[in-house]
Amino acid sequence: MYDHVYWPEQYDPKTSAIYALNDIDVKASPEVVWKLLVDAENWSSYFPAENQVKILSGEPELALGTKYTRVTVGFPMTLVVTECVPGRRLSWSTLVDGDETGSSAYHGWVITPTDSGCDVLSEETQQGPFFLEEIGRKHPGALYRYHEEWVECLVRAAEAQDATAAA
């Protein structure tokens, strides 16, 4: 059984209005996958939709406490890394810029080594009126589809890098 995200109480999937889980096997080392995940300002090199990421707190890559911004499907957001276990676990909390309803989200990644590479799990919950309207009502299933595309692009990039390194 693979690990799952460690949820802060307010983001538990059992009490969240919106939840997505995406899980995929990767034929690449956990180290290669990790490097792609923490290099946030370059996510667009393998997932073009994430082309507006900016680390605000000075680090070259995501680490515990890193503050950064991104624009996701047209919505500017401010994020902070809340969990960082190198090579294994990365999580962040999200607030939508300009949203006065207090809507928030929590996204976690878990990398589990396997005999052929690793398993990558992505989980996110969202709460509040903004997300209920934009994702729940206007675009049901969008969170799952967006993350599915992201993990599939991550797999292709990681496997290509791992193959290049092995050659």
Side-chain angles (χ1 to χ4, degrees), residues 2-5 7 19-26 37 88-90 107-112 118-123 151 154:
Y2 297 118
D3 285 336
H4 286 270
V5 169
W7 298 103
Y19 170 68
L21 181 150
N22 303 79
D23 187 30
I24 196 162
D25 289 322
V26 187
L37 280 177
R88 295 300 299 260
R89 308 178 74 82
L90 181 68
H107 190 148
W109 297 86
V110 179
I111 302 169
T112 305
C118 61
D119 179 82
V120 173
L121 175 75
S122 166
E123 290 184 278
V151 297
L154 176 66

Side-chain angles (χ1 to χ4, degrees), residues 8-167:
E9 186 176 340
Q10 72 268 30
Y11 295 109
D12 189 310
K14 295 179 201 105
T15 58
S16 294
I18 299 171
Y19 170 68
L21 181 150
N22 303 79
D23 187 30
I24 196 162
D25 289 322
V26 187
K27 290 177 179 48
S29 71
E31 294 79 17
V32 168
V33 171
W34 179 257
K35 188 65 181 160
L36 289 166
L37 280 177
V38 296
D39 190 12
E41 289 185 343
N42 290 307
W43 285 341
S44 64
S45 68
Y46 65 89
F47 186 46
E50 288 292 332
N51 66 350
Q52 296 183 62
V53 179
K54 179 70 179 146
I55 294 177
L56 304 174
S57 47
E59 299 90 348
E61 59 188 31
L62 300 182
L64 186 63
T66 299
K67 292 180 180 154
Y68 65 106
T69 60
R70 64 193 259 221
V71 177
T72 302
V73 295
F75 297 104
M77 302 181 185
T78 301
L79 307 93
V80 63
V81 175
T82 57
E83 180 185 24
C84 184
V85 179
R88 295 300 299 260
R89 308 178 74 82
L90 181 68
S91 296
W92 56 73
S93 60
T94 305
L95 293 173
V96 179
D97 296 350
D99 171 36
E100 296 177 9
T101 69
S103 297
S104 61
Y106 194 82
H107 190 148
W109 297 86
V110 179
I111 302 169
T112 305
T114 64
D115 290 341
S116 61
C118 61
D119 179 82
V120 173
L121 175 75
S122 166
E123 290 184 278
E124 182 168 328
T125 63
Q126 299 176 337
Q127 298 81 18
F130 173 84
F131 287 116
L132 286 171
E133 177 65 16
E134 290 300 324
I135 304 299
R137 191 179 75 72
K138 290 182 182 175
H139 305 284
L143 182 65
Y144 172 82
R145 290 188 303 275
Y146 189 84
H147 288 166
E148 187 66 16
E149 183 180 352
W150 194 347
V151 297
E152 289 173 0
C153 288
L154 176 66
V155 167
R156 284 192 293 276
E159 290 177 350
Q161 281 190 19
D162 213 49
T164 301

